[in-house]
Amino acid sequence: ALKYREKFAKRGVIYLSRIPPFMKPNKVRSIFEEFGEVTRLYLAEEDIKQRVKRKEKGGNASKQFQEGWIEFAEKKLARNVAESLNNTRIDGKKGGFYHDDLWNIKYLKHFKWDYLTEKLSYERRVRDSKINLAMAHAKRSNAEVVELMEKAKVQRIVEGKKRKREESVSVDRDHSADAREEMNKIIKKVRQVK
């Protein structure tokens, strides 16, 4: 365990501020393994919105990367790679695909890979909390709409019952008024004898 910790403490991380278009993690790993042992590699994907915009404007829809981190087995090796490759052409061949692209590399002194994973997990937690907050807001608003619909339904039922009651009362009044008129007619027809 002590040897493992010592090996772990010797590791160095470099930062790639720009990844050329269409360069994938395997290509980056193969380029940097020429200089020494690469223990870990992480390339951050571009934002989904940027990808959609590029696709809408007729560009390529493939996944592209914006920045990256590479962990080497030794700090000294990582520092030497960063110093020697910074601001140099990626592909030395004249007709190469990456001939016109330059490396922009920085050695991250005292940077541990755990810092990167902590950052990523923090960003994931923030994103999840935002999603949960939006879902809770949507549930609340849906519950309010359902409640208002239920109240409106109850109100319609109450109004319908009131209307029926009023109709039945008016019908009863009409019947009683008609009945009184008929009684008056009957009473008028019958003459009393003295």
Side-chain angles (χ1 to χ4, degrees):
L2 187 60
K3 288 182 182 179
Y4 178 75
R5 277 193 224 132
E6 287 175 3
K7 278 185 180 179
F8 206 71
K10 289 181 181 178
R11 293 181 178 178
V13 179
I14 62 172
Y15 172 69
L16 308 171
S17 66
R18 180 183 172 279
I19 307 295
F22 309 111
M23 186 174 277
K24 304 294 182 209
N26 290 338
K27 178 70 174 172
V28 174
R29 182 178 287 276
S30 67
I31 290 172
F32 283 96
E33 280 184 339
E34 293 175 8
F35 301 102
E37 183 186 351
V38 174
T39 53
R40 293 184 228 179
L41 170 102
Y42 176 75
L43 300 181
E45 291 182 23
E46 70 179 337
D47 190 32
I48 294 171
K49 293 175 185 174
Q50 280 183 319
R51 187 174 175 184
V52 169
K53 282 182 184 177
R54 186 180 68 242
K55 189 175 179 181
E56 286 174 354
K57 292 180 180 179
N60 193 316
S62 67
K63 187 188 301 184
Q64 301 210 9
F65 302 94
Q66 286 186 326
E67 57 186 356
W69 291 264
I70 301 173
E71 183 183 59
F72 284 93
E74 298 174 17
K75 290 179 184 179
K76 187 182 265 187
L77 176 65
R79 186 172 45 248
N80 289 339
V81 167
E83 288 173 1
S84 63
L85 289 182
N86 191 28
N87 286 330
T88 60
R89 288 203 166 127
I90 293 174
D91 195 1
K93 299 173 195 164
K94 182 79 171 166
F97 190 76
Y98 302 109
H99 176 70
D100 295 327
D101 289 314
L102 299 176
W103 284 120
N104 193 357
I105 302 175
K106 180 174 175 126
Y107 171 70
L108 303 175
K109 193 174 182 181
H110 305 297
F111 187 85
K112 302 292 181 200
W113 194 261
D114 295 337
Y115 301 159
L116 177 62
T117 55
E118 285 174 11
K119 176 186 176 235
L120 295 174
S121 64
Y122 172 74
E123 288 173 354
R124 193 175 302 119
R125 283 194 310 267
V126 168
R127 187 184 70 236
D128 291 344
S129 66
K130 285 181 181 178
I131 290 172
N132 290 339
L133 186 64
M135 290 294 288
H137 186 286
K139 283 182 183 178
R140 254 185 275 124
S141 63
N142 286 345
E144 289 173 3
V145 168
V146 168
E147 185 179 341
L148 289 173
M149 289 175 67
E150 290 293 326
K151 283 182 180 179
K153 184 178 177 183
V154 168
Q155 186 68 27
R156 281 194 306 268
I157 292 170
V158 168
E159 287 175 1
K161 286 182 179 180
K162 277 184 182 178
R163 222 179 300 116
K164 283 183 181 177
R165 203 174 314 126
E166 288 173 359
E167 287 173 2
S168 66
V169 168
S170 67
V171 167
D172 288 345
R173 285 182 190 155
D174 291 343
H175 285 304
S176 62
D178 290 341
R180 266 190 241 121
E181 286 178 24
E182 286 182 29
M183 287 294 285
N184 286 338
K185 288 179 185 175
I186 293 172
I187 293 172
K188 289 180 183 175
K189 287 181 182 177
V190 176
R191 293 184 182 187
Q192 290 185 351
V193 179
K194 285 191 188 183

